[in-house]
Amino acid sequence: MSDRQISTAADQLKGARAALALHDRVRDLESDLATGVREMAEAARDHATAAQTAAAADTLAAQLRLKMDKVGPPTGFLAER
Protein backbone atom coordinates (compact mmCIF):
# COMPACT_ATOMS: atom_id res chain seq x y z
CA MET A 1 0.00 0.00 0.00
CA SER A 2 1.42 3.38 -0.95
CA ASP A 3 1.73 6.40 1.33
CA ARG A 4 -1.02 8.08 -0.64
CA GLN A 5 -3.40 5.14 -0.13
CA ILE A 6 -2.55 5.05 3.57
CA SER A 7 -3.17 8.78 3.84
CA THR A 8 -6.50 8.46 2.01
CA ALA A 9 -7.54 5.52 4.19
CA ALA A 10 -6.53 7.44 7.34
CA ASP A 11 -8.60 10.43 6.21
CA GLN A 12 -11.58 8.18 5.50
CA LEU A 13 -11.21 6.54 8.90
CA LYS A 14 -11.05 9.97 10.55
CA GLY A 15 -14.21 11.00 8.69
CA ALA A 16 -16.01 7.79 9.66
CA ARG A 17 -15.05 8.27 13.32
CA ALA A 18 -16.29 11.87 13.22
CA ALA A 19 -19.57 10.74 11.64
CA LEU A 20 -19.96 8.04 14.27
CA ALA A 21 -19.27 10.53 17.07
CA LEU A 22 -21.84 12.89 15.56
CA HIS A 23 -24.36 10.05 15.32
CA ASP A 24 -23.77 9.19 18.99
CA ARG A 25 -24.20 12.85 19.97
CA VAL A 26 -27.48 13.08 18.07
CA ARG A 27 -28.72 9.90 19.77
CA ASP A 28 -27.80 11.35 23.18
CA LEU A 29 -29.55 14.63 22.36
CA GLU A 30 -32.68 12.78 21.23
CA SER A 31 -32.67 10.86 24.51
CA ASP A 32 -32.21 14.11 26.46
CA LEU A 33 -35.07 15.68 24.51
CA ALA A 34 -37.39 12.75 25.26
CA THR A 35 -36.49 13.00 28.95
CA GLY A 36 -37.12 16.75 28.89
CA VAL A 37 -40.51 16.29 27.25
CA ARG A 38 -41.51 13.72 29.88
CA GLU A 39 -40.34 15.98 32.71
CA MET A 40 -42.18 18.95 31.22
CA ALA A 41 -45.41 16.93 31.03
CA GLU A 42 -44.94 15.86 34.65
CA ALA A 43 -44.30 19.47 35.69
CA ALA A 44 -47.46 20.56 33.87
CA ARG A 45 -49.46 17.93 35.76
CA ASP A 46 -47.89 19.04 39.05
CA HIS A 47 -48.68 22.67 38.22
CA ALA A 48 -52.31 21.81 37.50
CA THR A 49 -52.57 19.90 40.78
CA ALA A 50 -51.00 22.80 42.68
CA ALA A 51 -53.41 25.25 41.04
CA GLN A 52 -56.37 23.09 42.08
CA THR A 53 -55.03 22.85 45.63
CA ALA A 54 -54.53 26.62 45.79
CA ALA A 55 -58.05 27.24 44.48
CA ALA A 56 -59.47 24.87 47.09
CA ALA A 57 -57.47 26.63 49.83
CA ASP A 58 -58.74 30.02 48.63
CA THR A 59 -62.30 28.72 48.76
CA LEU A 60 -61.83 27.40 52.30
CA ALA A 61 -60.22 30.67 53.40
CA ALA A 62 -63.17 32.62 52.00
CA GLN A 63 -65.60 30.34 53.83
CA LEU A 64 -63.69 30.79 57.08
CA ARG A 65 -63.68 34.58 56.65
CA LEU A 66 -67.46 34.50 56.21
CA LYS A 67 -67.87 32.40 59.36
CA MET A 68 -65.59 34.73 61.29
CA ASP A 69 -67.60 37.74 60.10
CA LYS A 70 -70.83 36.06 61.24
CA VAL A 71 -69.40 35.22 64.66
CA GLY A 72 -67.88 38.67 65.09
CA PRO A 73 -64.97 39.63 67.30
CA PRO A 74 -64.30 37.56 70.44
CA THR A 75 -66.04 38.71 73.59
CA GLY A 76 -66.09 37.70 77.23
CA PHE A 77 -63.31 36.92 79.66
CA LEU A 78 -61.39 34.74 77.13
CA ALA A 79 -61.41 37.43 74.46
CA GLU A 80 -58.15 38.97 75.68
CA ARG A 81 -56.18 35.75 75.34
Side-chain angles (χ1 to χ4, degrees):
M1 193 177 248
S2 72
D3 285 345
R4 186 167 193 222
Q5 289 173 322
I6 292 172
S7 178
T8 300
D11 288 344
Q12 289 173 342
L13 180 58
K14 186 190 289 185
R17 285 181 176 158
L20 183 58
L22 183 60
H23 172 75
D24 289 345
R25 180 71 178 133
V26 168
R27 186 190 62 223
D28 291 344
L29 289 171
E30 287 173 339
S31 176
D32 291 348
L33 177 62
T35 298
V37 167
R38 282 192 305 274
E39 289 174 354
M40 189 171 70
E42 184 178 333
R45 286 189 301 271
D46 290 347
H47 180 269
T49 300
Q52 288 174 342
T53 301
D58 285 343
T59 299
L60 287 175
Q63 291 171 350
L64 286 173
R65 280 191 293 278
L66 286 174
K67 287 181 182 181
M68 289 171 60
D69 288 343
K70 284 182 184 179
V71 170
T75 58
F77 71 94
L78 295 178
E80 294 183 24
R81 286 187 150 199

